[in-house]
Amino acid sequence: MFKFKYKGAELIVAFVLSLGMIWPAYATSDAKAVDKAPVKTKGSSVDVFDIATEQDKKSTADHSKFKELQVDFKDGPAVTKACLACHTEASKQLHKTKHWNWDYINADTKQHLGKKNVINNFCTSVPSNYKFCTACHIGYGWEDENFDFTAEEKVDCLVCHDTTASYKKLPGLAGHPNYKTMEWPPHSGKFRAPTDLKRIAQNVGKTSRATCGACHFRGGGGDAVKHGDLDSTLTNPSRYLDVHMDAKGLDFSCAKCHTSDSHEVAGSRYQPTAVDDKGTFIRGSKDERNAATCVACHGNVPHDGEYEKMNSHTDKLACQTCHIPAYARGNKHTKMSWDWSTLGEMDENGKPKKIFGSEGKVLYDSKKGDFTYDRYVIPEYQWFNGEVEFTLADTKFDPSQVLKINSFKGNADDGKSRIWPTKVFRGKQMYDKGNNTLVVTSLSDDKETALWKNFDINKAVEYGMKYAGRDFSGQVGWIETEMSWPITHMVAPKEDVVACHQCHTENGRLAGIDGIYMPGANNTPLLDKLGFALALLTLIGVLIHGAIRYFMHKRGG
Amino acid sequence: MMKAVVGFITGIVFVGLVGWNMADVMMLREVASPYSVEETAARIQRNIQSLSANGWTLSGLRNPAKAVANSGSNVPPVLLIEACSTKYSGPILKDDATRILSILMPCTITVYKKDDGKTYIGLMNAGLMGKMFGVGDIMAKVAKDQETFVTFDSSKPAPPLIKVRPGGGGAGGKDADGC
């Protein structure tokens, strides 16, 4: 047997071997330290809202006792007439709003926007598809361009004021709910009973997350599809998902931030408020600015105690950048891309097909092409000063480049921009190859030209363009597009904000954002060289000093 | 003599330090996935099922992130895929000396998302663990199968995620076989 030359060597070898056995155990049990997110320790300005929600639910009127509402209504407009008997000015107010007109002129850019005018990279355009799209219009009967926007009885009161959660406007009915038993979803074998208008009318109340969410959670044609930070999980959210809407906590309705005046609701995707540096303001005051900003309640110096340093970030970062670490956090997958160019592929029997992904979402639909999805999505960050420039129906573009459906303006130097978290939705969609413009496409019309009936994109675009009164070259091409959406909901608890190291590191979250210097993320080559040179000189000095002392000692000794 | 011992001890310390720093890399392996968390997990499940000849069955699918969310906090998506093969677990469980290794059963593969937005797969280094605990032969086979679990065929469509409830001990649960 091998014998060790030195006494005690066996012991050392045994020690080394045992060390080798136990170090992995130490390594695996010693989990890497988790960076603690900043926790605000002192009182917060939001405490005042603790009392608000229960008060919101109380009303001085019991609508079930009103004789005007004790009627078997034949349709929605009949309910509205009953509402107007008391709320005489309601429809006149609503007729002036974006929710009614789907029409908006940006006073700064002069662009003519609004849902009925803009072409996006989801279902693309409203004209020629009214009956489907207007399931999310606050009116009844908008089925073509001849809709009467002055008719008071066509305003749909119930879609915003229902408290029964049973009112549902179905696509294809031009903004009406079903008044007869109807198979829904189509070909599903499931049937939806006629809408009980009487019961719903007798139970109207203030708007809620459910009523706003009926449309806004389902933007883009389905739950969680469009925005990323708005989906049905916010109907009854936990604290982790949104500290303001937490159903067991502050329980904010949408209207708590999106205040309204004469039915015009604060906040806009067309003209967002990217920077609010005016501090808090009292609700009900004559302040004309957007009430739906963080600063409107929290002020512009919101951090205190040991996190006061965070206040020095607010001249560069939007609040949302730190306080919304990811979107689609409610376990719903949001759509991330849509490629229309692959539509029309049929199954082996020549029938339209759908292919589902691992999470159960449709990855391919013969009617629509390919999709991708994601959840808990890290936002893409960009400078934003509130100005959004849209590619409109008549805007000419270079088809060799990725087309921005909307461009967020802003930069580090303009003094009015902040770095914002955004969802960038990517698509490949049809365009007029001859004119280099976006196109109106007939998707869901009753006519045989509709894409979802005949799967012929050329006919669908030709009809859509003719319907919209637009010039069409006759050639359909495919263009890659991007559309940005500011992320502003799903505000995380303070413990879960974006931690310092997630940005202050190489290739951190803000990598690629120009015009900022971030310790840990950026370096200055000259400064680095100077530092290394100083360190090297110090080392050389120490060595020389040590050497001199050593030789002097030898000589002296 | 003294110099030799000092040199030896220095060597030990050096090896120890290197080992300490390399431990996580050696014991655990992380590989990036081109798919989403759900699709990655589903593809791994399919790969596990494809090795049923080696005794592999799915034992469970856990979502620890959901538990954290229920407690009021946020973590990125994490899915734990549990699988077991009685062909490999049997010999380990039979022997008094190695039965304690049941603490590592069932075999768990984790799929998670990181702050770069990408999906990753985490695996134990079964080969090295086996050598350390004296079951090197068995665990070498497990390590080989593990490679198959995380080798994806992109030409195949995304399979549905199998929501297997974790097995109930030795007999397995209603939905799952266990070890």
PDB file of all heavy atoms in Angstrom, chain A residues 6 12 16 21 23 27 240 329 333 358 374-376 496 502 509, chain B residues 1 8 12 19 23 38-39 69 73-75 77 113 115 132 159 161:
ATOM      1  N   TYR A   6       5.665  12.063   4.481  1.00  0.00           N
ATOM      2  CA  TYR A   6       5.673  12.971   5.629  1.00  0.00           C
ATOM      3  C   TYR A   6       4.630  12.555   6.648  1.00  0.00           C
ATOM      4  O   TYR A   6       3.524  12.121   6.282  1.00  0.00           O
ATOM      5  CB  TYR A   6       5.384  14.410   5.181  1.00  0.00           C
ATOM      6  CG  TYR A   6       6.407  14.913   4.204  1.00  0.00           C
ATOM      7  CD1 TYR A   6       6.097  15.070   2.861  1.00  0.00           C
ATOM      8  CD2 TYR A   6       7.704  15.205   4.639  1.00  0.00           C
ATOM      9  CE1 TYR A   6       7.035  15.530   1.970  1.00  0.00           C
ATOM     10  CE2 TYR A   6       8.650  15.658   3.733  1.00  0.00           C
ATOM     11  CZ  TYR A   6       8.318  15.820   2.396  1.00  0.00           C
ATOM     12  OH  TYR A   6       9.246  16.253   1.510  1.00  0.00           O
ATOM     13  N   ILE A  12      -3.926  15.196   6.208  1.00  0.00           N
ATOM     14  CA  ILE A  12      -4.195  16.331   5.311  1.00  0.00           C
ATOM     15  C   ILE A  12      -4.965  15.876   4.080  1.00  0.00           C
ATOM     16  O   ILE A  12      -5.957  16.498   3.663  1.00  0.00           O
ATOM     17  CB  ILE A  12      -2.862  17.021   4.914  1.00  0.00           C
ATOM     18  CG1 ILE A  12      -2.259  17.690   6.147  1.00  0.00           C
ATOM     19  CG2 ILE A  12      -3.102  18.046   3.808  1.00  0.00           C
ATOM     20  CD1 ILE A  12      -0.822  18.119   5.965  1.00  0.00           C
ATOM     21  N   VAL A  16      -8.567  17.031   2.824  1.00  0.00           N
ATOM     22  CA  VAL A  16      -8.860  17.570   1.491  1.00  0.00           C
ATOM     23  C   VAL A  16     -10.011  16.813   0.852  1.00  0.00           C
ATOM     24  O   VAL A  16     -10.930  17.391   0.277  1.00  0.00           O
ATOM     25  CB  VAL A  16      -7.609  17.488   0.585  1.00  0.00           C
ATOM     26  CG1 VAL A  16      -7.954  17.845  -0.856  1.00  0.00           C
ATOM     27  CG2 VAL A  16      -6.532  18.419   1.107  1.00  0.00           C
ATOM     28  N   MET A  21     -15.839  16.657  -0.582  1.00  0.00           N
ATOM     29  CA  MET A  21     -17.182  16.110  -0.501  1.00  0.00           C
ATOM     30  C   MET A  21     -18.195  17.136  -0.008  1.00  0.00           C
ATOM     31  O   MET A  21     -19.356  17.129  -0.414  1.00  0.00           O
ATOM     32  CB  MET A  21     -17.193  14.907   0.466  1.00  0.00           C
ATOM     33  CG  MET A  21     -16.482  13.689  -0.071  1.00  0.00           C
ATOM     34  SD  MET A  21     -17.292  13.021  -1.528  1.00  0.00           S
ATOM     35  CE  MET A  21     -18.712  12.253  -0.793  1.00  0.00           C
ATOM     36  N   TRP A  23     -17.918  20.643   0.034  1.00  0.00           N
ATOM     37  CA  TRP A  23     -18.090  21.999  -0.502  1.00  0.00           C
ATOM     38  C   TRP A  23     -19.296  22.164  -1.418  1.00  0.00           C
ATOM     39  O   TRP A  23     -19.946  23.189  -1.400  1.00  0.00           O
ATOM     40  CB  TRP A  23     -16.824  22.595  -1.107  1.00  0.00           C
ATOM     41  CG  TRP A  23     -16.228  21.933  -2.321  1.00  0.00           C
ATOM     42  CD1 TRP A  23     -15.105  21.219  -2.358  1.00  0.00           C
ATOM     43  CD2 TRP A  23     -16.703  21.965  -3.668  1.00  0.00           C
ATOM     44  NE1 TRP A  23     -14.838  20.768  -3.627  1.00  0.00           N
ATOM     45  CE2 TRP A  23     -15.809  21.222  -4.447  1.00  0.00           C
ATOM     46  CE3 TRP A  23     -17.807  22.553  -4.295  1.00  0.00           C
ATOM     47  CZ2 TRP A  23     -15.964  21.044  -5.811  1.00  0.00           C
ATOM     48  CZ3 TRP A  23     -17.969  22.370  -5.654  1.00  0.00           C
ATOM     49  CH2 TRP A  23     -17.058  21.622  -6.393  1.00  0.00           C
ATOM     50  N   ALA A  27     -22.128  24.963  -1.167  1.00  0.00           N
ATOM     51  CA  ALA A  27     -22.395  25.829  -2.312  1.00  0.00           C
ATOM     52  C   ALA A  27     -23.868  25.839  -2.661  1.00  0.00           C
ATOM     53  O   ALA A  27     -24.452  26.873  -2.952  1.00  0.00           O
ATOM     54  CB  ALA A  27     -21.588  25.355  -3.520  1.00  0.00           C
ATOM     55  N   TYR A 240     -49.948  41.589  -5.332  1.00  0.00           N
ATOM     56  CA  TYR A 240     -48.726  41.420  -6.114  1.00  0.00           C
ATOM     57  C   TYR A 240     -48.879  41.965  -7.528  1.00  0.00           C
ATOM     58  O   TYR A 240     -47.938  42.422  -8.145  1.00  0.00           O
ATOM     59  CB  TYR A 240     -48.309  39.943  -6.164  1.00  0.00           C
ATOM     60  CG  TYR A 240     -48.933  39.145  -7.279  1.00  0.00           C
ATOM     61  CD1 TYR A 240     -48.281  38.994  -8.495  1.00  0.00           C
ATOM     62  CD2 TYR A 240     -50.201  38.571  -7.140  1.00  0.00           C
ATOM     63  CE1 TYR A 240     -48.862  38.281  -9.521  1.00  0.00           C
ATOM     64  CE2 TYR A 240     -50.780  37.856  -8.156  1.00  0.00           C
ATOM     65  CZ  TYR A 240     -50.110  37.714  -9.356  1.00  0.00           C
ATOM     66  OH  TYR A 240     -50.684  37.024 -10.387  1.00  0.00           O
ATOM     67  N   ARG A 329     -48.230  40.102 -15.806  1.00  0.00           N
ATOM     68  CA  ARG A 329     -47.804  39.333 -14.638  1.00  0.00           C
ATOM     69  C   ARG A 329     -48.948  38.531 -14.023  1.00  0.00           C
ATOM     70  O   ARG A 329     -48.758  37.857 -13.021  1.00  0.00           O
ATOM     71  CB  ARG A 329     -47.209  40.252 -13.565  1.00  0.00           C
ATOM     72  CG  ARG A 329     -45.980  41.016 -14.007  1.00  0.00           C
ATOM     73  CD  ARG A 329     -45.152  41.482 -12.809  1.00  0.00           C
ATOM     74  NE  ARG A 329     -45.924  42.029 -11.725  1.00  0.00           N
ATOM     75  CZ  ARG A 329     -46.340  43.281 -11.643  1.00  0.00           C
ATOM     76  NH1 ARG A 329     -46.052  44.145 -12.586  1.00  0.00           N
ATOM     77  NH2 ARG A 329     -47.050  43.687 -10.598  1.00  0.00           N
ATOM     78  N   HIS A 333     -51.243  35.264 -20.976  1.00  0.00           N
ATOM     79  CA  HIS A 333     -50.250  35.546 -22.005  1.00  0.00           C
ATOM     80  C   HIS A 333     -50.727  36.688 -22.888  1.00  0.00           C
ATOM     81  O   HIS A 333     -51.863  36.683 -23.362  1.00  0.00           O
ATOM     82  CB  HIS A 333     -50.011  34.312 -22.856  1.00  0.00           C
ATOM     83  CG  HIS A 333     -49.223  33.258 -22.143  1.00  0.00           C
ATOM     84  ND1 HIS A 333     -49.742  32.487 -21.139  1.00  0.00           N
ATOM     85  CD2 HIS A 333     -47.937  32.862 -22.306  1.00  0.00           C
ATOM     86  CE1 HIS A 333     -48.804  31.658 -20.706  1.00  0.00           C
ATOM     87  NE2 HIS A 333     -47.707  31.864 -21.400  1.00  0.00           N
ATOM     88  N   SER A 358     -48.246  25.462 -26.416  1.00  0.00           N
ATOM     89  CA  SER A 358     -48.171  24.724 -25.160  1.00  0.00           C
ATOM     90  C   SER A 358     -49.036  25.337 -24.074  1.00  0.00           C
ATOM     91  O   SER A 358     -49.533  24.644 -23.196  1.00  0.00           O
ATOM     92  CB  SER A 358     -46.718  24.680 -24.690  1.00  0.00           C
ATOM     93  OG  SER A 358     -45.919  24.033 -25.641  1.00  0.00           O
ATOM     94  N   ASP A 374     -46.370  35.932 -24.739  1.00  0.00           N
ATOM     95  CA  ASP A 374     -45.447  35.839 -23.615  1.00  0.00           C
ATOM     96  C   ASP A 374     -46.162  36.325 -22.360  1.00  0.00           C
ATOM     97  O   ASP A 374     -47.191  36.994 -22.444  1.00  0.00           O
ATOM     98  CB  ASP A 374     -44.184  36.679 -23.870  1.00  0.00           C
ATOM     99  CG  ASP A 374     -42.985  36.171 -23.077  1.00  0.00           C
ATOM    100  OD1 ASP A 374     -43.149  35.220 -22.283  1.00  0.00           O
ATOM    101  OD2 ASP A 374     -41.890  36.728 -23.254  1.00  0.00           O
ATOM    102  N   ARG A 375     -45.625  35.967 -21.227  1.00  0.00           N
ATOM    103  CA  ARG A 375     -46.133  36.500 -19.960  1.00  0.00           C
ATOM    104  C   ARG A 375     -44.940  36.897 -19.111  1.00  0.00           C
ATOM    105  O   ARG A 375     -43.826  36.477 -19.367  1.00  0.00           O
ATOM    106  CB  ARG A 375     -47.005  35.482 -19.234  1.00  0.00           C
ATOM    107  CG  ARG A 375     -46.267  34.265 -18.695  1.00  0.00           C
ATOM    108  CD  ARG A 375     -47.221  33.313 -18.037  1.00  0.00           C
ATOM    109  NE  ARG A 375     -46.578  32.066 -17.698  1.00  0.00           N
ATOM    110  CZ  ARG A 375     -46.197  31.746 -16.453  1.00  0.00           C
ATOM    111  NH1 ARG A 375     -46.391  32.582 -15.463  1.00  0.00           N
ATOM    112  NH2 ARG A 375     -45.621  30.595 -16.220  1.00  0.00           N
ATOM    113  N   TYR A 376     -45.215  37.698 -18.098  1.00  0.00           N
ATOM    114  CA  TYR A 376     -44.162  38.278 -17.268  1.00  0.00           C
ATOM    115  C   TYR A 376     -43.071  38.849 -18.189  1.00  0.00           C
ATOM    116  O   TYR A 376     -41.926  38.391 -18.200  1.00  0.00           O
ATOM    117  CB  TYR A 376     -43.565  37.242 -16.298  1.00  0.00           C
ATOM    118  CG  TYR A 376     -43.001  37.877 -15.051  1.00  0.00           C
ATOM    119  CD1 TYR A 376     -43.711  37.868 -13.852  1.00  0.00           C
ATOM    120  CD2 TYR A 376     -41.771  38.533 -15.056  1.00  0.00           C
ATOM    121  CE1 TYR A 376     -43.201  38.470 -12.710  1.00  0.00           C
ATOM    122  CE2 TYR A 376     -41.252  39.132 -13.930  1.00  0.00           C
ATOM    123  CZ  TYR A 376     -41.967  39.083 -12.750  1.00  0.00           C
ATOM    124  OH  TYR A 376     -41.451  39.680 -11.625  1.00  0.00           O
ATOM    125  N   ASP A 496     -41.176  44.916  -4.723  1.00  0.00           N
ATOM    126  CA  ASP A 496     -40.889  44.243  -5.992  1.00  0.00           C
ATOM    127  C   ASP A 496     -40.490  45.196  -7.114  1.00  0.00           C
ATOM    128  O   ASP A 496     -40.529  44.826  -8.284  1.00  0.00           O
ATOM    129  CB  ASP A 496     -42.125  43.452  -6.444  1.00  0.00           C
ATOM    130  CG  ASP A 496     -42.403  42.261  -5.561  1.00  0.00           C
ATOM    131  OD1 ASP A 496     -41.494  41.885  -4.805  1.00  0.00           O
ATOM    132  OD2 ASP A 496     -43.513  41.717  -5.613  1.00  0.00           O
ATOM    133  N   GLN A 502     -30.454  45.768 -11.492  1.00  0.00           N
ATOM    134  CA  GLN A 502     -31.051  45.352 -12.763  1.00  0.00           C
ATOM    135  C   GLN A 502     -30.806  46.377 -13.878  1.00  0.00           C
ATOM    136  O   GLN A 502     -30.942  46.048 -15.052  1.00  0.00           O
ATOM    137  CB  GLN A 502     -32.549  45.098 -12.573  1.00  0.00           C
ATOM    138  CG  GLN A 502     -32.822  43.823 -11.768  1.00  0.00           C
ATOM    139  CD  GLN A 502     -34.283  43.633 -11.433  1.00  0.00           C
ATOM    140  OE1 GLN A 502     -34.844  44.342 -10.596  1.00  0.00           O
ATOM    141  NE2 GLN A 502     -34.912  42.686 -12.074  1.00  0.00           N
ATOM    142  N   ARG A 509     -31.098  46.459 -17.818  1.00  0.00           N
ATOM    143  CA  ARG A 509     -32.366  46.772 -18.486  1.00  0.00           C
ATOM    144  C   ARG A 509     -32.299  48.003 -19.394  1.00  0.00           C
ATOM    145  O   ARG A 509     -33.010  48.080 -20.381  1.00  0.00           O
ATOM    146  CB  ARG A 509     -33.445  47.005 -17.435  1.00  0.00           C
ATOM    147  CG  ARG A 509     -33.900  45.728 -16.780  1.00  0.00           C
ATOM    148  CD  ARG A 509     -35.121  45.981 -15.951  1.00  0.00           C
ATOM    149  NE  ARG A 509     -35.653  44.736 -15.444  1.00  0.00           N
ATOM    150  CZ  ARG A 509     -36.940  44.488 -15.281  1.00  0.00           C
ATOM    151  NH1 ARG A 509     -37.825  45.424 -15.559  1.00  0.00           N
ATOM    152  NH2 ARG A 509     -37.357  43.337 -14.815  1.00  0.00           N
TER     153      ARG A 509
ATOM    154  N   MET B   1      10.990  20.330   5.407  1.00  0.00           N
ATOM    155  CA  MET B   1       9.744  19.677   5.805  1.00  0.00           C
ATOM    156  C   MET B   1       8.609  20.703   5.985  1.00  0.00           C
ATOM    157  O   MET B   1       7.499  20.550   5.479  1.00  0.00           O
ATOM    158  CB  MET B   1      10.005  18.941   7.129  1.00  0.00           C
ATOM    159  CG  MET B   1       8.765  18.351   7.747  1.00  0.00           C
ATOM    160  SD  MET B   1       8.072  17.069   6.691  1.00  0.00           S
ATOM    161  CE  MET B   1       6.566  16.756   7.535  1.00  0.00           C
ATOM    162  N   PHE B   8       1.790  22.484   0.804  1.00  0.00           N
ATOM    163  CA  PHE B   8       0.670  21.571   0.661  1.00  0.00           C
ATOM    164  C   PHE B   8      -0.637  22.228   1.119  1.00  0.00           C
ATOM    165  O   PHE B   8      -1.679  22.171   0.441  1.00  0.00           O
ATOM    166  CB  PHE B   8       0.964  20.315   1.487  1.00  0.00           C
ATOM    167  CG  PHE B   8       0.120  19.150   1.090  1.00  0.00           C
ATOM    168  CD1 PHE B   8       0.307  18.528  -0.142  1.00  0.00           C
ATOM    169  CD2 PHE B   8      -0.887  18.687   1.928  1.00  0.00           C
ATOM    170  CE1 PHE B   8      -0.476  17.464  -0.511  1.00  0.00           C
ATOM    171  CE2 PHE B   8      -1.667  17.616   1.559  1.00  0.00           C
ATOM    172  CZ  PHE B   8      -1.469  16.993   0.339  1.00  0.00           C
ATOM    173  N   ILE B  12      -4.059  23.172  -0.781  1.00  0.00           N
ATOM    174  CA  ILE B  12      -5.407  22.776  -0.357  1.00  0.00           C
ATOM    175  C   ILE B  12      -6.340  23.989  -0.340  1.00  0.00           C
ATOM    176  O   ILE B  12      -7.467  23.947  -0.844  1.00  0.00           O
ATOM    177  CB  ILE B  12      -5.356  22.147   1.061  1.00  0.00           C
ATOM    178  CG1 ILE B  12      -4.645  20.797   0.989  1.00  0.00           C
ATOM    179  CG2 ILE B  12      -6.761  21.991   1.636  1.00  0.00           C
ATOM    180  CD1 ILE B  12      -4.285  20.267   2.356  1.00  0.00           C
ATOM    181  N   GLY B  19     -12.678  25.436  -5.885  1.00  0.00           N
ATOM    182  CA  GLY B  19     -13.852  24.576  -5.786  1.00  0.00           C
ATOM    183  C   GLY B  19     -15.079  25.336  -5.328  1.00  0.00           C
ATOM    184  O   GLY B  19     -16.170  25.191  -5.858  1.00  0.00           O
ATOM    185  N   ALA B  23     -18.381  25.726  -7.587  1.00  0.00           N
ATOM    186  CA  ALA B  23     -19.360  24.744  -7.122  1.00  0.00           C
ATOM    187  C   ALA B  23     -20.668  24.814  -7.887  1.00  0.00           C
ATOM    188  O   ALA B  23     -21.179  23.810  -8.362  1.00  0.00           O
ATOM    189  CB  ALA B  23     -19.612  24.950  -5.633  1.00  0.00           C
ATOM    190  N   GLU B  38     -43.443  27.911 -20.963  1.00  0.00           N
ATOM    191  CA  GLU B  38     -44.430  26.824 -21.100  1.00  0.00           C
ATOM    192  C   GLU B  38     -44.016  25.844 -22.200  1.00  0.00           C
ATOM    193  O   GLU B  38     -44.105  24.633 -22.025  1.00  0.00           O
ATOM    194  CB  GLU B  38     -45.822  27.388 -21.421  1.00  0.00           C
ATOM    195  CG  GLU B  38     -46.568  27.925 -20.217  1.00  0.00           C
ATOM    196  CD  GLU B  38     -46.061  29.283 -19.795  1.00  0.00           C
ATOM    197  OE1 GLU B  38     -45.263  29.889 -20.540  1.00  0.00           O
ATOM    198  OE2 GLU B  38     -46.446  29.762 -18.708  1.00  0.00           O
ATOM    199  N   GLU B  39     -43.585  26.392 -23.330  1.00  0.00           N
ATOM    200  CA  GLU B  39     -43.239  25.494 -24.438  1.00  0.00           C
ATOM    201  C   GLU B  39     -41.997  24.672 -24.102  1.00  0.00           C
ATOM    202  O   GLU B  39     -41.911  23.484 -24.442  1.00  0.00           O
ATOM    203  CB  GLU B  39     -43.028  26.281 -25.741  1.00  0.00           C
ATOM    204  CG  GLU B  39     -42.833  25.348 -26.923  1.00  0.00           C
ATOM    205  CD  GLU B  39     -42.839  26.054 -28.267  1.00  0.00           C
ATOM    206  OE1 GLU B  39     -43.283  27.214 -28.345  1.00  0.00           O
ATOM    207  OE2 GLU B  39     -42.399  25.427 -29.252  1.00  0.00           O
ATOM    208  N   ALA B  69     -46.742  34.443  -5.686  1.00  0.00           N
ATOM    209  CA  ALA B  69     -47.738  35.457  -6.056  1.00  0.00           C
ATOM    210  C   ALA B  69     -48.903  35.436  -5.077  1.00  0.00           C
ATOM    211  O   ALA B  69     -49.393  36.487  -4.645  1.00  0.00           O
ATOM    212  CB  ALA B  69     -48.229  35.209  -7.479  1.00  0.00           C
ATOM    213  N   SER B  73     -46.333  38.591  -3.651  1.00  0.00           N
ATOM    214  CA  SER B  73     -45.086  39.104  -4.210  1.00  0.00           C
ATOM    215  C   SER B  73     -44.886  38.593  -5.639  1.00  0.00           C
ATOM    216  O   SER B  73     -45.586  37.699  -6.090  1.00  0.00           O
ATOM    217  CB  SER B  73     -43.919  38.656  -3.319  1.00  0.00           C
ATOM    218  OG  SER B  73     -42.771  39.390  -3.631  1.00  0.00           O
ATOM    219  N   ASN B  74     -43.944  39.181  -6.322  1.00  0.00           N
ATOM    220  CA  ASN B  74     -43.697  38.862  -7.727  1.00  0.00           C
ATOM    221  C   ASN B  74     -42.394  38.106  -7.923  1.00  0.00           C
ATOM    222  O   ASN B  74     -41.363  38.508  -7.388  1.00  0.00           O
ATOM    223  CB  ASN B  74     -43.585  40.151  -8.550  1.00  0.00           C
ATOM    224  CG  ASN B  74     -44.924  40.787  -8.782  1.00  0.00           C
ATOM    225  OD1 ASN B  74     -45.663  40.425  -9.679  1.00  0.00           O
ATOM    226  ND2 ASN B  74     -45.266  41.757  -7.927  1.00  0.00           N
ATOM    227  N   VAL B  75     -42.441  37.050  -8.668  1.00  0.00           N
ATOM    228  CA  VAL B  75     -41.219  36.445  -9.203  1.00  0.00           C
ATOM    229  C   VAL B  75     -41.503  36.047 -10.646  1.00  0.00           C
ATOM    230  O   VAL B  75     -42.637  35.732 -10.993  1.00  0.00           O
ATOM    231  CB  VAL B  75     -40.744  35.196  -8.420  1.00  0.00           C
ATOM    232  CG1 VAL B  75     -40.193  35.552  -7.074  1.00  0.00           C
ATOM    233  CG2 VAL B  75     -41.853  34.172  -8.297  1.00  0.00           C
ATOM    234  N   PRO B  77     -41.670  33.760 -14.072  1.00  0.00           N
ATOM    235  CA  PRO B  77     -42.188  32.409 -14.186  1.00  0.00           C
ATOM    236  C   PRO B  77     -41.134  31.331 -13.906  1.00  0.00           C
ATOM    237  O   PRO B  77     -39.989  31.439 -14.343  1.00  0.00           O
ATOM    238  CB  PRO B  77     -42.642  32.318 -15.643  1.00  0.00           C
ATOM    239  CG  PRO B  77     -42.843  33.717 -16.066  1.00  0.00           C
ATOM    240  CD  PRO B  77     -41.866  34.535 -15.293  1.00  0.00           C
ATOM    241  N   LYS B 113     -37.567  32.019 -16.274  1.00  0.00           N
ATOM    242  CA  LYS B 113     -37.226  33.206 -17.061  1.00  0.00           C
ATOM    243  C   LYS B 113     -36.331  34.101 -16.214  1.00  0.00           C
ATOM    244  O   LYS B 113     -36.512  34.180 -14.998  1.00  0.00           O
ATOM    245  CB  LYS B 113     -38.516  33.942 -17.419  1.00  0.00           C
ATOM    246  CG  LYS B 113     -38.335  35.100 -18.357  1.00  0.00           C
ATOM    247  CD  LYS B 113     -39.670  35.796 -18.578  1.00  0.00           C
ATOM    248  CE  LYS B 113     -40.189  35.523 -19.943  1.00  0.00           C
ATOM    249  NZ  LYS B 113     -41.281  36.439 -20.326  1.00  0.00           N
ATOM    250  N   ASP B 115     -34.023  38.022 -15.983  1.00  0.00           N
ATOM    251  CA  ASP B 115     -34.271  39.445 -16.226  1.00  0.00           C
ATOM    252  C   ASP B 115     -33.941  39.882 -17.653  1.00  0.00           C
ATOM    253  O   ASP B 115     -34.327  40.968 -18.079  1.00  0.00           O
ATOM    254  CB  ASP B 115     -33.466  40.281 -15.222  1.00  0.00           C
ATOM    255  CG  ASP B 115     -34.090  41.648 -15.017  1.00  0.00           C
ATOM    256  OD1 ASP B 115     -35.319  41.700 -14.839  1.00  0.00           O
ATOM    257  OD2 ASP B 115     -33.361  42.654 -15.088  1.00  0.00           O
ATOM    258  N   MET B 132     -20.079  11.368  -6.562  1.00  0.00           N
ATOM    259  CA  MET B 132     -19.876  11.835  -5.182  1.00  0.00           C
ATOM    260  C   MET B 132     -20.534  10.919  -4.171  1.00  0.00           C
ATOM    261  O   MET B 132     -20.012  10.680  -3.093  1.00  0.00           O
ATOM    262  CB  MET B 132     -20.457  13.235  -5.013  1.00  0.00           C
ATOM    263  CG  MET B 132     -19.584  14.326  -5.553  1.00  0.00           C
ATOM    264  SD  MET B 132     -20.431  15.904  -5.467  1.00  0.00           S
ATOM    265  CE  MET B 132     -20.875  15.961  -3.768  1.00  0.00           C
ATOM    266  N   PRO B 159     -45.899  21.014 -28.234  1.00  0.00           N
ATOM    267  CA  PRO B 159     -46.906  20.139 -27.631  1.00  0.00           C
ATOM    268  C   PRO B 159     -47.617  20.870 -26.487  1.00  0.00           C
ATOM    269  O   PRO B 159     -47.076  21.830 -25.946  1.00  0.00           O
ATOM    270  CB  PRO B 159     -46.066  18.980 -27.084  1.00  0.00           C
ATOM    271  CG  PRO B 159     -44.737  19.588 -26.797  1.00  0.00           C
ATOM    272  CD  PRO B 159     -44.544  20.727 -27.745  1.00  0.00           C
ATOM    273  N   LEU B 161     -48.795  21.615 -22.751  1.00  0.00           N
ATOM    274  CA  LEU B 161     -48.195  21.392 -21.439  1.00  0.00           C
ATOM    275  C   LEU B 161     -49.062  20.375 -20.688  1.00  0.00           C
ATOM    276  O   LEU B 161     -50.285  20.508 -20.652  1.00  0.00           O
ATOM    277  CB  LEU B 161     -48.149  22.719 -20.680  1.00  0.00           C
ATOM    278  CG  LEU B 161     -47.354  22.767 -19.389  1.00  0.00           C
ATOM    279  CD1 LEU B 161     -45.869  22.571 -19.663  1.00  0.00           C
ATOM    280  CD2 LEU B 161     -47.574  24.112 -18.697  1.00  0.00           C
TER     281      LEU B 161
END
